[in-house]
Amino acid sequence: MSIYTIVLLFLFHSRKRKFYITTMVSLSFILCCVLVSSCAYATIVSHDGRAITIDGHRRVLLSGSIHYPRSTTEMWPDLIKKGKEGGLDAIETYVFWNAHEPTRRQYDFSGNLDLIRFLKTIQNEGMYGVLRIGPYVCAEWNYGGFPVWLHNMPGMEFRTTNTAFMNEMQNFTTMIVEMVKKEKLFASQGGPIILAQIENEYGNVIGSYGEAGKAYIQWCANMANSLDVGVPWIMCQQDDAPQPMLNTCNGYYCDNFSPNNPNTPKMWTENWTGWYKNWGGKDPHRTTEDVAFAVARFFQKEGTFQNYYMYHGGTNFDRTAGGPYITTTYDYDAPLDEFGNLNQPKYGHLKQLHDVLHAMEKTLTYGNISTVDFGNLVTATVYQTEERSSCFIGNVNETSDAKINFQGTFYDVPAWSVSILPDCKTETYNTAKINTQTSVMVKKANEAENEPSTLKWSWRPENIDSVLLKGKGESTMRQLFDQKVVSNDESDYLWYMTTVNLKEQDPVLGKNMSLRINSTAHVLHAFVNGQHIGNYRVENGKFHYVFEQDAKFNPGANVITLLSITVGLPNYGAFFENVPAGITGPVFIIGRNGDETIVKDLSTHKWSYKTGLSGFENQLFSSESPSTWSAPLGSEPVVVDLLGLGKGTAWINGNNIGRYWPAFLSDIDGDNTLVLFEEIGGNPSLVNFQTIGVGSVCANVYEKNVLELSCNGKPISAIKFASFGNPGGDCGSFEKGTCEASNNAAAILTQECVGKEKCSIDVSEDKFGAAECGALAKRLAVEAIC
């Protein structure tokens, strides 16, 4: 077997543009916070049980998570601006310990890791910030955000009353707080940060740590309070959070969550807008209607703070994806997709919800609350002040629609939905009735040149003779060690090598021999005397396995070389840091002579170790070449289809943009070089480049709403279908119903929308003419071509 470094070199000619490389196989998630007022920065942040109080004013908070390393610095202002335009007032982010302190006491806050720049970008947009320091983050991030050097310290135990761990955690947390204080970024200093978090979802695992876990969480609270940040501290998923910590909820639904203190606001730090994806897994999807239902139901039941996880997911650049087997892309089916495009209708439907909640803020935070139970899981909630009242009608029945008489008026409330009546009379919003467009994203061929035939490839084999034939490494020990211990997680790749001297008369020698390896390597390659005898890839999550393959051994010296490959370290669960990775043994040579089986245990042999590959060490990804490739026309993101390849790593201009298996994503400008390290072989001639953008937009909007159509910066070129009445079908297959308005809907939309980048249409009989549909709710169905 050969391992190849495949290099694609190209230049972009004279135009600067963003260039995205994406895998077709992954997802992401993050949180979001909406404040119902302008963001004049507070000097005092407190809480009074019903709401977070900022600068003397109660707030209903809606927030969205954007992890700063998961998008490039060039994308930050655009993402944050789109969050604000989507109705958010705050951005929430984790802080990644292993990214900022990759080596003990050596720190990195450069480039995408510039936390202060990220927080100031939030401030510049006039938004609040929520800083989840942790420093354990989970986040589908490699090792949950912990640096592997921490695990390798003597006497170390994570997340418990272990002196070594607590010292390191306090050192990092204090450093982050002091950095933020120095720049006056806490709200108590006039900055944007209104909340800070210590620990993360510890309540999910605290039982495994016993009394030490309870003592540890109390220590966390005391340590955080001692840092005097001047804003409240939160602990998510921590039912026994010590006062004055504010405990919060994470999950798909938090309407039934109650804080552990009646004077604590009801807060939701992670509303999962989708889910992440594993290599080889299906694309997860959470419906727009369900996300909106969960948010509206939360505020119906006295919610104060709600954060989307994720609002923009982005990309697991470099080796940041955890798991194992979590993909490079972290789109998460979030309101902003991996490229930063609006994920419609999720983005627009939630924006409309945020606008309604903003309009009701004073009533929600000051009003007296009463509830009417209609039975069959249908309830109405009234918030009333002296000036006005606002109402929610929630139908939690999953299958039965409801028709109820509320305060003398009949309302139709679909199953599993919430209707919002800002004045307790007129239904302004229902979570199951989407009145925003659906954008259909399409991939298009490169119009600049004929690919893939014009791509110029060069390649170089990985030089592995020294490890395959000589077994030479960087260190030698008479023991098989966990890969984390040896490599300190500096690479996905670790070589295990040993030489076995067999005498002519050794009973293990024979015609039928094999090598048996007890392994926890995510991917394993085995070599004997320079010959590749086989490989193994873990499937179905069974990361403990026995690999056995026939092998030929000779009298004299035999070199056994094993390559262990990790695909992201575990990031969640009690004691996840101790989950082994690599070849922890035992390793046996098996000889079979007739009915007799001879086993030779090699576990205590002298093993040599070598971290990484020479192509990485020699930085072949920094190569330059005169080969050129013309970028696709236009300004849309570029998709690189790598389905002809196998598994490996990709670089853009020397920057590691992540693993591909079989594809990857990035965002770059200017003259660019793409380098692929291909691990298992493939056909690079099949690689091709496409653009991705909005191909068409659809909408199915109820009467008495305004339809907004947009092609994401491109003109609307045609109206393929339009009908006002009771049209049927779905996007791409709409059809006219049994009733139809008197005016030609397609002609009206053609006149008002074609040739424009966006248009707004009043969906009413005044616009489209009368439609005799009886008791049926009238709708406008549209499909427009971009």
Side-chain angles (χ1 to χ4, degrees), residues 752-771:
E752 299 207 14
C753 297
V754 171
K756 300 177 181 177
E757 292 184 2
K758 61 177 64 176
C759 63
S760 297
I761 303 293
D762 182 27
V763 181
S764 66
E765 288 192 341
D766 290 342
K767 189 72 174 178
F768 294 97

Side-chain angles (χ1 to χ4, degrees), residues 318-542:
D318 204 338
R319 301 173 54 248
T320 57
Y325 280 30
I326 291 173
T327 52
T328 299
T329 174
Y330 196 68
D331 178 80
Y332 214 73
D333 198 23
L336 296 176
D337 72 13
E338 187 171 15
F339 306 104
N341 296 322
L342 308 186
N343 178 13
Q344 298 283 30
K346 189 169 285 186
Y347 176 91
H349 192 50
L350 293 175
K351 178 184 186 301
Q352 292 173 354
L353 173 57
H354 304 156
D355 291 343
V356 173
L357 292 171
H358 280 155
M360 299 160 53
E361 180 183 36
K362 186 173 182 180
T363 310
L364 294 179
T365 55
Y366 288 93
N368 295 319
I369 303 171
S370 59
T371 302
V372 180
D373 191 340
F374 296 94
N376 199 27
L377 303 178
V378 180
T379 58
T381 304
V382 181
Y383 288 80
Q384 187 166 11
T385 64
E386 292 182 358
E387 293 84 14
R388 64 178 297 187
S389 60
S390 298
C391 297
F392 297 82
I393 305 175
N395 181 1
V396 189
N397 193 300
E398 296 185 36
T399 56
S400 299
D401 297 343
K403 188 178 185 69
I404 64 167
N405 185 330
F406 175 61
Q407 297 185 352
T409 303
F410 283 94
Y411 297 92
D412 293 308
V413 187
W416 200 251
S417 78
V418 176
S419 291
I420 303 179
L421 293 64
D423 59 359
C424 285
K425 296 178 181 179
T426 304
E427 178 189 298
T428 301
Y429 183 91
N430 178 273
T431 60
K433 300 174 183 177
I434 295 179
N435 293 300
T436 190
Q437 73 178 41
T438 295
S439 297
V440 180
M441 308 302 288
V442 297
K443 298 180 181 69
K444 295 175 291 186
N446 177 8
E447 298 176 359
E449 59 186 324
N450 182 26
E451 292 176 1
S453 60
T454 57
L455 296 178
K456 305 299 182 184
W457 291 88
S458 63
W459 59 90
R460 185 180 306 176
E462 170 75 5
N463 182 7
I464 53 179
D465 287 348
S466 62
V467 293
L468 293 187
L469 302 178
K470 300 177 183 179
K472 290 185 177 180
E474 299 154 344
S475 60
T476 302
M477 289 165 280
R478 288 190 174 274
Q479 186 177 344
L480 287 164
F481 281 100
D482 187 307
Q483 184 164 339
K484 298 190 298 295
V485 174
V486 180
S487 70
N488 218 31
D489 198 39
E490 294 176 358
S491 171
D492 284 351
Y493 303 90
L494 179 65
W495 297 95
Y496 294 72
M497 299 161 284
T498 191
T499 300
V500 182
N501 287 293
L502 299 176
K503 296 180 180 180
E504 290 275 2
Q505 65 273 26
D506 196 307
V508 79
L509 278 173
K511 292 183 178 179
N512 299 312
M513 301 183 70
S514 63
L515 184 66
R516 181 185 297 168
I517 305 163
N518 290 267
S519 176
T520 57
H522 305 157
V523 179
L524 170 68
H525 292 279
F527 304 81
V528 173
N529 296 325
Q531 298 300 309
H532 184 248
I533 64 169
N535 60 68
Y536 186 83
R537 178 180 79 184
V538 170
E539 295 182 359
N540 303 318
K542 297 178 180 179

Side-chain angles (χ1 to χ4, degrees), residues 134-278:
Y136 164 69
V137 297
C138 183
E140 291 69 63
W141 192 267
N142 193 53
Y143 218 39
F146 286 134
V148 171
W149 58 258
L150 189 70
H151 170 268
N152 294 336
M153 290 182 66
M156 177 61 66
E157 292 181 84
F158 286 7
R159 306 178 80 190
T160 187
T161 50
N162 173 274
T163 301
F165 176 78
M166 293 189 297
N167 286 343
E168 294 300 323
M169 176 177 168
Q170 183 168 6
N171 179 78
F172 180 77
T173 304
T174 303
M175 181 192 66
I176 295 298
V177 166
E178 292 305 317
M179 283 179 59
V180 175
K181 277 186 176 181
K182 182 180 178 181
E183 299 295 330
K184 301 187 184 304
L185 292 173
F186 286 108
S188 55
Q189 302 172 292
I193 300 172
I194 57 173
L195 295 168
Q197 180 176 307
I198 194 70
E199 250 299 338
N200 186 39
E201 296 184 334
Y202 191 72
N204 295 350
V205 299
I206 191 171
S208 300
Y209 295 87
E211 291 301 314
K214 296 177 182 179
Y216 166 69
I217 212 67
Q218 181 66 60
W219 173 83
C220 288
N222 294 339
M223 186 266 285
N225 279 330
S226 72
L227 296 176
D228 191 27
V229 297
V231 302
W233 285 94
I234 59 176
M235 283 183 170
C236 67
Q237 297 294 83
Q238 193 66 47
D239 292 341
D240 60 349
Q243 299 301 311
M245 301 290 107
L246 310 181
N247 71 309
T248 70
C249 179
N250 289 356
Y252 287 112
Y253 311 101
C254 284
D255 50 304
N256 292 324
F257 164 74
S258 295
N260 64 1
N261 184 321
N263 296 318
T264 294
K266 182 172 177 174
M267 304 174 70
W268 187 1
T269 35
E270 292 191 17
N271 176 2
W272 302 330
T273 59
W275 202 241
Y276 62 91
K277 184 173 180 177
N278 290 310

